[in-house]
Amino acid sequence: MKSDSVKSGMERAPHRSLFKAMGYTDEELRRPLVGIANSANDIIPGHVELDRIVSAVKAGVYMAGGTPVAFGTIGVCDGIAMNHIGMKYSLGSRELIADSIEVMAIAHAFDAMVMVTNCDKIVPGMLMAAARLNLPTIIVSGGPMLTGARDGKTIDLISVFEGVGAVSSGKMSEKELADIEDSACPTCGSCAGMFTANSMNCLTEAIGMGLPGNGTIPAVMAARTRLAKEAGMKIMMLLKRRITPKKIMTQKAFANAMAVDMALGCSTNTVLHLMAIANEAGVKLDLDTFNRVSEKTPHLCNMSPGGRHHMEDLDRAGGVSAVMRELSRKGLIHADCLTVTGMAVKEDIKDSRIRDKSIIRSLERPYHKEGGLAVLFGNMASSGCVVKQSAVVQRMLRHQGPARVFDTEEDATSAIMAGRIKKGNVVVIRYEGPKGGPGMREMLMPTSAIAGMGLDADVALITDGRFSGGTRGAAIGHVSPEAMAGGPIAIVKDGDTISIDIPKRRITLKVPEKEIEARLSKWRPRKPKISKGYMRRYAHVVSSGGEGAVVK
């Protein structure tokens, strides 16, 4: 066992003495040490009750003959960090989480890991650490929150964000918004729609690193506690059989994750995160691969923000396992892939079925023939950009209009809220990329304001930053190369015509090539927006959004 290097033999008496100072017994020290990465805190609704999940994992580890050792990791709540400087730090926290888990696992010679997480950057950060360490590992999610209700309709966090835009345009009163604010998030858990957190929790299950149910069982259900206990027991089996993440996270497993991604209509952020995780796992993944998977994988679930269903509905309808079983009927899933159950996917899903075909549709009756995401290329984004096409209304799949250009999210949001954006406009928000932001912040406020004002069927948004998993409409993010790197998005001017053709995967700045070259020749880099601390260092070493915004 790896942990023998810190607890076995005469020369490790000082080490054992330190363990005993914490109350560990000789019997516990004879057992394998299972590190438990715990991202509990009091600032993220999805993490506020993770101590309870960790306690259940510990119980499972003890029952199966291991010794659990918990430690903490950081986590940012993207909703609370949204639309101010805090969001610049969110994506960068992914790398800190992976690094900190690596440090703890190696410094203390853990034999195996259970990583307890729930939200946005924390899930991919832990998956990156799992691939890098390659110790037997299971990821356990805290689960999604339940939906709120108002006037007989379900509501969620996005209802509140869009309500701000509705108040600004006179479509809603401040009293109505206050009522939604009080009702939209009724329980702990990751926000109730297929936003980034739940997207990544579902893909953790699809790629084989989470137990069946990991993606969808609501946070408040007893089944979530039982799953955590089972994970604690299963990790001992993985350790005994030497099943490690790189045996699970193979090229085929990433293909499974992408297929489920497309069927569910997940967040555009999954593109960034899957590429970063694949990078750690030594698996080649590029943007063209996402398009190829999307073109052959139907969109089967109409989840919020693009549709009316939520995570509790998906769980009740059969969850990720049922979606994978349905996709496997036409060979869209590699059923021989190994998972943390110790079995192949085909064994995990063999008893699954769709319990409600209004929530998970069949392959013969999909919501869309293609998957939820599309990657566009063109002279504005030679290295690609990403859109959740399943959340775009039909008439905006092809759009051409004059650019309204902003160099910060704040300037764009102010213009939208002041009513200065008109139908047909293409809003361009630049210098918000991985280097330029820095941190490639999500921009849910401008997209929600557009939607809340009833303009999402007439206005497109384009950025070298990111859009939240809760965004709907023609919101195109991750434009690469970014403005800070001298990409063509840096030289777009107000009034320039931009053409978007999502079905043909094209995005075009309708300016003569010689004019583009002339503008680029005059372009000069901007000064960094943050000149000290972690994000200054991050901006110097982060790659483009087209490469997953990984630190090199």
Side-chain angles (χ1 to χ4, degrees), residues 439-483:
M440 202 181 185
R441 59 179 169 173
E442 286 183 356
M443 287 176 267
L444 182 56
M445 188 61 78
T447 60
S448 295
I450 287 285
M453 296 169 85
L455 294 173
D456 57 301
D458 299 283
V459 172
L461 294 96
I462 299 172
T463 184
D464 53 6
R466 300 178 296 133
F467 290 120
S468 164
T471 290
R472 61 187 173 99
I476 300 165
H478 310 189
V479 169
S480 300
E482 63 174 289

mmCIF file of all heavy atoms in Angstrom, residues 439-483:
data_model
loop_
_atom_site.group_PDB
_atom_site.id
_atom_site.type_symbol
_atom_site.label_atom_id
_atom_site.label_comp_id
_atom_site.label_asym_id
_atom_site.label_seq_id
_atom_site.Cartn_x
_atom_site.Cartn_y
_atom_site.Cartn_z
ATOM 1 N N GLY A 439 -9.714 35.040 -16.716
ATOM 2 C CA GLY A 439 -10.544 34.042 -16.073
ATOM 3 C C GLY A 439 -11.787 33.646 -16.827
ATOM 4 O O GLY A 439 -12.552 32.823 -16.359
ATOM 5 N N MET A 440 -12.045 34.255 -17.998
ATOM 6 C CA MET A 440 -13.122 33.802 -18.879
ATOM 7 C C MET A 440 -14.447 33.695 -18.120
ATOM 8 O O MET A 440 -15.087 32.662 -18.095
ATOM 9 C CB MET A 440 -12.740 32.436 -19.470
ATOM 10 C CG MET A 440 -13.457 32.073 -20.741
ATOM 11 S SD MET A 440 -12.933 30.438 -21.301
ATOM 12 C CE MET A 440 -13.821 30.367 -22.857
ATOM 13 N N ARG A 441 -14.849 34.781 -17.498
ATOM 14 C CA ARG A 441 -16.003 34.694 -16.611
ATOM 15 C C ARG A 441 -17.298 34.394 -17.353
ATOM 16 O O ARG A 441 -17.473 34.734 -18.521
ATOM 17 C CB ARG A 441 -16.149 35.965 -15.783
ATOM 18 C CG ARG A 441 -16.328 37.254 -16.546
ATOM 19 C CD ARG A 441 -16.476 38.401 -15.555
ATOM 20 N NE ARG A 441 -16.384 39.684 -16.218
ATOM 21 C CZ ARG A 441 -16.618 40.845 -15.608
ATOM 22 N NH1 ARG A 441 -16.938 40.858 -14.332
ATOM 23 N NH2 ARG A 441 -16.512 41.971 -16.253
ATOM 24 N N GLU A 442 -18.201 33.724 -16.652
ATOM 25 C CA GLU A 442 -19.547 33.486 -17.172
ATOM 26 C C GLU A 442 -20.317 34.789 -17.156
ATOM 27 O O GLU A 442 -20.108 35.632 -16.287
ATOM 28 C CB GLU A 442 -20.289 32.462 -16.298
ATOM 29 C CG GLU A 442 -19.813 31.035 -16.474
ATOM 30 C CD GLU A 442 -20.638 30.070 -15.633
ATOM 31 O OE1 GLU A 442 -21.518 30.519 -14.866
ATOM 32 O OE2 GLU A 442 -20.393 28.856 -15.741
ATOM 33 N N MET A 443 -21.237 34.914 -18.114
ATOM 34 C CA MET A 443 -22.008 36.145 -18.197
ATOM 35 C C MET A 443 -23.492 35.830 -18.274
ATOM 36 O O MET A 443 -24.110 35.885 -19.336
ATOM 37 C CB MET A 443 -21.525 36.962 -19.395
ATOM 38 C CG MET A 443 -20.165 37.579 -19.131
ATOM 39 S SD MET A 443 -19.463 38.459 -20.520
ATOM 40 C CE MET A 443 -18.493 37.155 -21.253
ATOM 41 N N LEU A 444 -24.055 35.471 -17.129
ATOM 42 C CA LEU A 444 -25.479 35.140 -17.061
ATOM 43 C C LEU A 444 -26.350 36.390 -16.991
ATOM 44 O O LEU A 444 -27.487 36.374 -17.456
ATOM 45 C CB LEU A 444 -25.732 34.249 -15.841
ATOM 46 C CG LEU A 444 -27.158 33.750 -15.621
ATOM 47 C CD1 LEU A 444 -27.678 33.012 -16.850
ATOM 48 C CD2 LEU A 444 -27.223 32.850 -14.397
ATOM 49 N N MET A 445 -25.803 37.470 -16.438
ATOM 50 C CA MET A 445 -26.615 38.679 -16.290
ATOM 51 C C MET A 445 -27.034 39.260 -17.643
ATOM 52 O O MET A 445 -28.225 39.508 -17.862
ATOM 53 C CB MET A 445 -25.874 39.727 -15.456
ATOM 54 C CG MET A 445 -26.728 40.939 -15.104
ATOM 55 S SD MET A 445 -28.179 40.520 -14.112
ATOM 56 C CE MET A 445 -27.440 40.329 -12.498
ATOM 57 N N PRO A 446 -26.118 39.475 -18.595
ATOM 58 C CA PRO A 446 -26.578 40.035 -19.879
ATOM 59 C C PRO A 446 -27.498 39.095 -20.650
ATOM 60 O O PRO A 446 -28.480 39.548 -21.248
ATOM 61 C CB PRO A 446 -25.278 40.305 -20.646
ATOM 62 C CG PRO A 446 -24.211 39.562 -19.941
ATOM 63 C CD PRO A 446 -24.647 39.441 -18.520
ATOM 64 N N THR A 447 -27.213 37.802 -20.641
ATOM 65 C CA THR A 447 -28.087 36.876 -21.379
ATOM 66 C C THR A 447 -29.452 36.781 -20.724
ATOM 67 O O THR A 447 -30.473 36.709 -21.416
ATOM 68 C CB THR A 447 -27.454 35.474 -21.484
ATOM 69 O OG1 THR A 447 -27.226 34.937 -20.180
ATOM 70 C CG2 THR A 447 -26.154 35.517 -22.248
ATOM 71 N N SER A 448 -29.506 36.773 -19.396
ATOM 72 C CA SER A 448 -30.792 36.715 -18.695
ATOM 73 C C SER A 448 -31.575 38.008 -18.888
ATOM 74 O O SER A 448 -32.811 37.983 -19.011
ATOM 75 C CB SER A 448 -30.566 36.465 -17.203
ATOM 76 O OG SER A 448 -30.003 35.198 -16.992
ATOM 77 N N ALA A 449 -30.868 39.136 -18.911
ATOM 78 C CA ALA A 449 -31.543 40.408 -19.152
ATOM 79 C C ALA A 449 -32.174 40.434 -20.539
ATOM 80 O O ALA A 449 -33.326 40.863 -20.708
ATOM 81 C CB ALA A 449 -30.554 41.561 -18.993
ATOM 82 N N ILE A 450 -31.434 39.938 -21.522
ATOM 83 C CA ILE A 450 -31.966 39.852 -22.885
ATOM 84 C C ILE A 450 -33.226 38.977 -22.911
ATOM 85 O O ILE A 450 -34.251 39.337 -23.496
ATOM 86 C CB ILE A 450 -30.899 39.270 -23.841
ATOM 87 C CG1 ILE A 450 -29.794 40.292 -24.110
ATOM 88 C CG2 ILE A 450 -31.521 38.783 -25.148
ATOM 89 C CD1 ILE A 450 -30.179 41.417 -25.040
ATOM 90 N N ALA A 451 -33.137 37.795 -22.244
ATOM 91 C CA ALA A 451 -34.276 36.878 -22.221
ATOM 92 C C ALA A 451 -35.451 37.481 -21.451
ATOM 93 O O ALA A 451 -36.607 37.405 -21.888
ATOM 94 C CB ALA A 451 -33.865 35.542 -21.609
ATOM 95 N N GLY A 452 -35.167 38.088 -20.294
ATOM 96 C CA GLY A 452 -36.217 38.666 -19.472
ATOM 97 C C GLY A 452 -36.931 39.819 -20.149
ATOM 98 O O GLY A 452 -38.107 40.079 -19.885
ATOM 99 N N MET A 453 -36.233 40.509 -21.057
ATOM 100 C CA MET A 453 -36.823 41.623 -21.791
ATOM 101 C C MET A 453 -37.528 41.158 -23.059
ATOM 102 O O MET A 453 -38.039 41.965 -23.824
ATOM 103 C CB MET A 453 -35.733 42.645 -22.138
ATOM 104 C CG MET A 453 -35.115 43.275 -20.893
ATOM 105 S SD MET A 453 -33.626 44.246 -21.232
ATOM 106 C CE MET A 453 -34.342 45.812 -21.672
ATOM 107 N N GLY A 454 -37.508 39.826 -23.278
ATOM 108 C CA GLY A 454 -38.200 39.264 -24.440
ATOM 109 C C GLY A 454 -37.456 39.429 -25.744
ATOM 110 O O GLY A 454 -38.052 39.376 -26.820
ATOM 111 N N LEU A 455 -36.128 39.581 -25.672
ATOM 112 C CA LEU A 455 -35.330 39.803 -26.881
ATOM 113 C C LEU A 455 -34.509 38.581 -27.300
ATOM 114 O O LEU A 455 -33.778 38.647 -28.291
ATOM 115 C CB LEU A 455 -34.374 40.984 -26.664
ATOM 116 C CG LEU A 455 -35.006 42.365 -26.484
ATOM 117 C CD1 LEU A 455 -33.935 43.382 -26.097
ATOM 118 C CD2 LEU A 455 -35.731 42.801 -27.752
ATOM 119 N N ASP A 456 -34.630 37.462 -26.564
ATOM 120 C CA ASP A 456 -33.760 36.319 -26.860
ATOM 121 C C ASP A 456 -34.067 35.678 -28.205
ATOM 122 O O ASP A 456 -33.253 34.923 -28.732
ATOM 123 C CB ASP A 456 -33.840 35.268 -25.744
ATOM 124 C CG ASP A 456 -35.255 34.781 -25.500
ATOM 125 O OD1 ASP A 456 -36.118 35.619 -25.174
ATOM 126 O OD2 ASP A 456 -35.491 33.574 -25.629
ATOM 127 N N ALA A 457 -35.237 35.978 -28.790
ATOM 128 C CA ALA A 457 -35.563 35.458 -30.115
ATOM 129 C C ALA A 457 -35.145 36.416 -31.219
ATOM 130 O O ALA A 457 -35.415 36.151 -32.402
ATOM 131 C CB ALA A 457 -37.068 35.184 -30.215
ATOM 132 N N ASP A 458 -34.483 37.522 -30.849
ATOM 133 C CA ASP A 458 -34.126 38.533 -31.852
ATOM 134 C C ASP A 458 -32.712 39.060 -31.728
ATOM 135 O O ASP A 458 -32.234 39.738 -32.637
ATOM 136 C CB ASP A 458 -35.093 39.723 -31.734
ATOM 137 C CG ASP A 458 -36.531 39.325 -31.979
ATOM 138 O OD1 ASP A 458 -36.901 39.131 -33.148
ATOM 139 O OD2 ASP A 458 -37.274 39.189 -30.992
ATOM 140 N N VAL A 459 -32.033 38.785 -30.615
ATOM 141 C CA VAL A 459 -30.690 39.332 -30.372
ATOM 142 C C VAL A 459 -29.716 38.194 -30.102
ATOM 143 O O VAL A 459 -30.011 37.283 -29.328
ATOM 144 C CB VAL A 459 -30.700 40.313 -29.182
ATOM 145 C CG1 VAL A 459 -29.286 40.727 -28.804
ATOM 146 C CG2 VAL A 459 -31.551 41.539 -29.505
ATOM 147 N N ALA A 460 -28.540 38.243 -30.755
ATOM 148 C CA ALA A 460 -27.481 37.267 -30.500
ATOM 149 C C ALA A 460 -26.410 37.902 -29.622
ATOM 150 O O ALA A 460 -26.229 39.130 -29.634
ATOM 151 C CB ALA A 460 -26.867 36.799 -31.818
ATOM 152 N N LEU A 461 -25.719 37.069 -28.845
ATOM 153 C CA LEU A 461 -24.591 37.523 -28.038
ATOM 154 C C LEU A 461 -23.385 36.658 -28.361
ATOM 155 O O LEU A 461 -23.495 35.437 -28.459
ATOM 156 C CB LEU A 461 -24.903 37.426 -26.540
ATOM 157 C CG LEU A 461 -26.011 38.357 -26.023
ATOM 158 C CD1 LEU A 461 -27.333 37.609 -25.981
ATOM 159 C CD2 LEU A 461 -25.676 38.900 -24.642
ATOM 160 N N ILE A 462 -22.243 37.311 -28.529
ATOM 161 C CA ILE A 462 -20.999 36.612 -28.866
ATOM 162 C C ILE A 462 -19.914 37.102 -27.919
ATOM 163 O O ILE A 462 -19.794 38.312 -27.677
ATOM 164 C CB ILE A 462 -20.586 36.895 -30.331
ATOM 165 C CG1 ILE A 462 -21.662 36.408 -31.296
ATOM 166 C CG2 ILE A 462 -19.248 36.247 -30.656
ATOM 167 C CD1 ILE A 462 -21.418 36.835 -32.740
ATOM 168 N N THR A 463 -19.103 36.178 -27.389
ATOM 169 C CA THR A 463 -18.047 36.591 -26.477
ATOM 170 C C THR A 463 -16.856 35.646 -26.512
ATOM 171 O O THR A 463 -17.001 34.469 -26.858
ATOM 172 C CB THR A 463 -18.575 36.671 -25.025
ATOM 173 O OG1 THR A 463 -17.553 37.165 -24.168
ATOM 174 C CG2 THR A 463 -19.016 35.301 -24.518
ATOM 175 N N ASP A 464 -15.683 36.186 -26.143
ATOM 176 C CA ASP A 464 -14.524 35.318 -25.925
ATOM 177 C C ASP A 464 -14.498 34.829 -24.483
ATOM 178 O O ASP A 464 -13.629 34.058 -24.092
ATOM 179 C CB ASP A 464 -13.210 35.997 -26.306
ATOM 180 C CG ASP A 464 -13.000 37.355 -25.645
ATOM 181 O OD1 ASP A 464 -13.824 37.747 -24.792
ATOM 182 O OD2 ASP A 464 -12.012 38.029 -25.983
ATOM 183 N N GLY A 465 -15.469 35.283 -23.683
ATOM 184 C CA GLY A 465 -15.692 34.733 -22.357
ATOM 185 C C GLY A 465 -16.625 33.541 -22.444
ATOM 186 O O GLY A 465 -16.704 32.868 -23.471
ATOM 187 N N ARG A 466 -17.368 33.305 -21.349
ATOM 188 C CA ARG A 466 -18.261 32.156 -21.308
ATOM 189 C C ARG A 466 -19.670 32.608 -20.984
ATOM 190 O O ARG A 466 -19.899 33.695 -20.471
ATOM 191 C CB ARG A 466 -17.826 31.160 -20.219
ATOM 192 C CG ARG A 466 -16.444 30.610 -20.399
ATOM 193 C CD ARG A 466 -16.080 29.664 -19.247
ATOM 194 N NE ARG A 466 -16.036 30.355 -17.968
ATOM 195 C CZ ARG A 466 -16.597 29.919 -16.841
ATOM 196 N NH1 ARG A 466 -17.287 28.806 -16.839
ATOM 197 N NH2 ARG A 466 -16.466 30.604 -15.711
ATOM 198 N N PHE A 467 -20.629 31.739 -21.290
ATOM 199 C CA PHE A 467 -21.991 31.942 -20.835
ATOM 200 C C PHE A 467 -22.338 30.851 -19.839
ATOM 201 O O PHE A 467 -21.851 29.728 -19.933
ATOM 202 C CB PHE A 467 -22.966 31.937 -22.007
ATOM 203 C CG PHE A 467 -22.837 33.140 -22.896
ATOM 204 C CD1 PHE A 467 -22.519 33.011 -24.233
ATOM 205 C CD2 PHE A 467 -23.022 34.415 -22.381
ATOM 206 C CE1 PHE A 467 -22.388 34.122 -25.044
ATOM 207 C CE2 PHE A 467 -22.892 35.538 -23.194
ATOM 208 C CZ PHE A 467 -22.580 35.389 -24.531
ATOM 209 N N SER A 468 -23.177 31.180 -18.885
ATOM 210 C CA SER A 468 -23.589 30.222 -17.870
ATOM 211 C C SER A 468 -24.336 29.056 -18.496
ATOM 212 O O SER A 468 -24.955 29.184 -19.559
ATOM 213 C CB SER A 468 -24.506 30.921 -16.860
ATOM 214 O OG SER A 468 -25.209 29.994 -16.076
ATOM 215 N N GLY A 469 -24.316 27.913 -17.787
ATOM 216 C CA GLY A 469 -25.140 26.782 -18.199
ATOM 217 C C GLY A 469 -26.616 27.121 -18.140
ATOM 218 O O GLY A 469 -27.445 26.429 -18.729
ATOM 219 N N GLY A 470 -26.950 28.197 -17.429
ATOM 220 C CA GLY A 470 -28.336 28.636 -17.338
ATOM 221 C C GLY A 470 -28.755 29.578 -18.455
ATOM 222 O O GLY A 470 -29.880 30.066 -18.462
ATOM 223 N N THR A 471 -27.878 29.807 -19.411
ATOM 224 C CA THR A 471 -28.164 30.736 -20.515
ATOM 225 C C THR A 471 -29.015 30.068 -21.582
ATOM 226 O O THR A 471 -28.816 28.912 -21.931
ATOM 227 C CB THR A 471 -26.840 31.220 -21.134
ATOM 228 O OG1 THR A 471 -26.177 32.078 -20.199
ATOM 229 C CG2 THR A 471 -27.077 31.979 -22.427
ATOM 230 N N ARG A 472 -29.960 30.827 -22.121
ATOM 231 C CA ARG A 472 -30.681 30.367 -23.304
ATOM 232 C C ARG A 472 -30.631 31.460 -24.361
ATOM 233 O O ARG A 472 -30.332 32.613 -24.070
ATOM 234 C CB ARG A 472 -32.120 29.986 -22.976
ATOM 235 C CG ARG A 472 -32.999 31.102 -22.419
ATOM 236 C CD ARG A 472 -34.336 30.529 -21.974
ATOM 237 N NE ARG A 472 -35.161 31.503 -21.275
ATOM 238 C CZ ARG A 472 -36.153 32.198 -21.831
ATOM 239 N NH1 ARG A 472 -36.406 32.061 -23.123
ATOM 240 N NH2 ARG A 472 -36.875 33.039 -21.121
ATOM 241 N N GLY A 473 -30.922 31.079 -25.605
ATOM 242 C CA GLY A 473 -30.850 32.019 -26.706
ATOM 243 C C GLY A 473 -29.577 31.836 -27.510
ATOM 244 O O GLY A 473 -28.761 30.954 -27.243
ATOM 245 N N ALA A 474 -29.403 32.677 -28.536
ATOM 246 C CA ALA A 474 -28.242 32.585 -29.426
ATOM 247 C C ALA A 474 -27.033 33.216 -28.747
ATOM 248 O O ALA A 474 -26.560 34.294 -29.134
ATOM 249 C CB ALA A 474 -28.546 33.263 -30.761
ATOM 250 N N ALA A 475 -26.553 32.544 -27.712
ATOM 251 C CA ALA A 475 -25.409 33.020 -26.935
ATOM 252 C C ALA A 475 -24.207 32.158 -27.289
ATOM 253 O O ALA A 475 -24.172 30.965 -26.969
ATOM 254 C CB ALA A 475 -25.725 32.940 -25.453
ATOM 255 N N ILE A 476 -23.226 32.750 -27.947
ATOM 256 C CA ILE A 476 -22.082 32.016 -28.502
ATOM 257 C C ILE A 476 -20.829 32.434 -27.744
ATOM 258 O O ILE A 476 -20.439 33.599 -27.761
ATOM 259 C CB ILE A 476 -21.938 32.318 -30.006
ATOM 260 C CG1 ILE A 476 -23.210 31.889 -30.749
ATOM 261 C CG2 ILE A 476 -20.712 31.617 -30.584
ATOM 262 C CD1 ILE A 476 -23.326 32.452 -32.149
ATOM 263 N N GLY A 477 -20.211 31.482 -27.047
ATOM 264 C CA GLY A 477 -19.068 31.786 -26.217
ATOM 265 C C GLY A 477 -17.805 31.078 -26.634
ATOM 266 O O GLY A 477 -17.775 30.337 -27.619
ATOM 267 N N HIS A 478 -16.734 31.312 -25.864
ATOM 268 C CA HIS A 478 -15.429 30.665 -26.049
ATOM 269 C C HIS A 478 -14.777 31.058 -27.371
ATOM 270 O O HIS A 478 -13.975 30.293 -27.919
ATOM 271 C CB HIS A 478 -15.551 29.124 -26.028
ATOM 272 C CG HIS A 478 -16.310 28.557 -24.888
ATOM 273 N ND1 HIS A 478 -16.350 27.199 -24.625
ATOM 274 C CD2 HIS A 478 -17.075 29.131 -23.927
ATOM 275 C CE1 HIS A 478 -17.101 26.967 -23.562
ATOM 276 N NE2 HIS A 478 -17.555 28.150 -23.128
ATOM 277 N N VAL A 479 -15.113 32.227 -27.932
ATOM 278 C CA VAL A 479 -14.518 32.629 -29.217
ATOM 279 C C VAL A 479 -12.997 32.604 -29.098
ATOM 280 O O VAL A 479 -12.404 33.265 -28.254
ATOM 281 C CB VAL A 479 -15.008 34.033 -29.634
ATOM 282 C CG1 VAL A 479 -14.188 34.554 -30.809
ATOM 283 C CG2 VAL A 479 -16.493 33.997 -29.988
ATOM 284 N N SER A 480 -12.387 31.807 -29.984
ATOM 285 C CA SER A 480 -10.927 31.634 -29.966
ATOM 286 C C SER A 480 -10.372 31.833 -31.372
ATOM 287 O O SER A 480 -10.951 31.330 -32.336
ATOM 288 C CB SER A 480 -10.565 30.229 -29.468
ATOM 289 O OG SER A 480 -11.059 30.015 -28.160
ATOM 290 N N PRO A 481 -9.240 32.557 -31.523
ATOM 291 C CA PRO A 481 -8.451 33.220 -30.484
ATOM 292 C C PRO A 481 -9.226 34.378 -29.845
ATOM 293 O O PRO A 481 -10.034 35.031 -30.493
ATOM 294 C CB PRO A 481 -7.219 33.739 -31.231
ATOM 295 C CG PRO A 481 -7.270 33.144 -32.595
ATOM 296 C CD PRO A 481 -8.661 32.747 -32.865
ATOM 297 N N GLU A 482 -8.940 34.615 -28.567
ATOM 298 C CA GLU A 482 -9.613 35.677 -27.836
ATOM 299 C C GLU A 482 -9.032 37.046 -28.186
ATOM 300 O O GLU A 482 -7.966 37.159 -28.820
ATOM 301 C CB GLU A 482 -9.491 35.435 -26.336
ATOM 302 C CG GLU A 482 -8.057 35.462 -25.798
ATOM 303 C CD GLU A 482 -8.015 35.355 -24.284
ATOM 304 O OE1 GLU A 482 -8.402 36.340 -23.617
ATOM 305 O OE2 GLU A 482 -7.588 34.303 -23.768
ATOM 306 N N ALA A 483 -9.730 38.091 -27.777
ATOM 307 C CA ALA A 483 -9.300 39.452 -28.092
ATOM 308 C C ALA A 483 -7.919 39.755 -27.527
ATOM 309 O O ALA A 483 -7.084 40.389 -28.186
ATOM 310 C CB ALA A 483 -10.326 40.455 -27.572
#
